[in-house]
């Protein structure tokens, strides 16, 4: 089809050449050129629909990843407002404490243990930490995101 639009007339296929190409496409079956073109357009349309469906699924997966990341990085009310496109009013707190933790000797200790032992150690340690701060009115930001603790 692209050849038919060539600026140079000698490069354009003749009607016999076009007919032969359609015969090749149809594998020698006798069919109407219009039917062949419609069949090709239907196939093209079907391929486009599949591509759109695939891209839509990919977009949905990326949207879910973004939502998860937002809720891990921000308090739920802020994440929801941002997703809805509404402005987020800053909050004022009389007192704020930031806590950063470091496990002294963690690199050395973890190098001598199996990976599952390291995971269990960290899980136990931070579960205990969560239990302690659970009795206070705080926000906790960690590996699993913001949690409003009451």
């Amino acid at each position: 089809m692209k050849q038919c639009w060539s600026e140079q007339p000698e490069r354009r296929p003749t009607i016999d050449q076009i007919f032969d190409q359609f015969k090749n496409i149809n594998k020698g079956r006798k069919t109407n050129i219009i039917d062949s073109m419609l069949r090709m357009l239907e196939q093209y349309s079907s391929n486009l629909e599949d591509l759109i469906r695939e891209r839509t699924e990919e977009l949905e997966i990326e949207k879910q990843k973004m939502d998860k990341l937002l809720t891990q990085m921000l308090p739920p009310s802020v994440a929801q407002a941002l997703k809805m496109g509404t402005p987020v009013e800053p909050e004022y707190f009389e007192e704020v404490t930031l806590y950063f933790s470091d496990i002294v000797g963690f690199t050395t200790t973890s190098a001598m243990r199996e990976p599952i032992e390291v995971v269990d150690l960290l899980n136990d340690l931070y579960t205990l930490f969560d239990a302690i701060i659970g009795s206070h009115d705080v926000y906790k930001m960690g590996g699993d995101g913001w949690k409003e603790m009451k």
Side-chain angles (χ1 to χ4, degrees):
M1 291 308 279
K2 288 181 183 178
Q3 291 174 340
C4 292
W5 291 96
S6 176
E7 293 291 326
Q8 300 168 345
E10 64 277 0
R11 290 190 146 186
R12 295 181 203 150
T14 65
I15 192 69
D16 290 333
Q17 290 170 327
I18 293 172
F19 185 74
D20 288 341
Q21 287 179 1
F22 274 112
K23 261 178 38 182
N24 286 337
I25 290 171
N26 291 314
K27 298 175 178 71
R29 290 177 283 152
K30 286 195 173 207
T31 57
N32 182 320
I33 289 178
I34 301 298
D35 290 341
S36 296
M37 289 176 63
L38 286 174
R39 201 173 308 112
M40 289 171 59
L41 285 173
E42 286 172 359
Q43 170 109 25
Y44 180 71
S45 172
S46 176
N47 290 344
L48 273 180
E49 288 172 2
D50 291 344
L51 183 62
I52 289 170
R53 191 178 305 100
E54 181 181 311
R55 295 287 165 84
T56 301
E57 289 170 5
E58 290 172 4
L59 180 64
E60 184 59 32
I61 289 168
E62 291 303 315
K63 184 180 179 294
Q64 290 171 358
K65 287 179 185 177
M66 184 211 49
D67 286 349
K68 184 178 178 182
L69 182 62
L70 263 180
T71 56
Q72 286 179 338
M73 294 177 60
L74 302 168
S77 60
V78 174
Q80 190 63 31
L82 289 175
K83 285 193 283 187
M84 292 177 6
T86 58
V88 178
E89 294 295 321
E91 294 181 48
Y92 176 80
F93 297 95
E94 287 288 329
E95 296 179 13
V96 175
T97 300
L98 298 178
Y99 174 80
F100 296 94
S101 65
D102 180 36
I103 302 170
V104 177
F106 177 75
T107 303
T108 305
T109 303
S110 63
M112 296 184 297
R113 303 208 185 297
E114 292 294 318
I116 192 66
E117 291 177 300
V118 176
V119 170
D120 287 342
L121 169 71
L122 292 173
N123 189 46
D124 291 346
L125 182 65
Y126 285 101
T127 298
L128 288 171
F129 180 69
D130 287 348
I132 293 168
I133 66 169
S135 61
H136 304 280
D137 185 20
V138 300
Y139 278 112
K140 175 200 145 210
M141 184 177 156
D144 58 350
W146 282 91
K147 289 184 180 175
E148 186 170 352
M149 310 298 270
K150 296 254 177 184

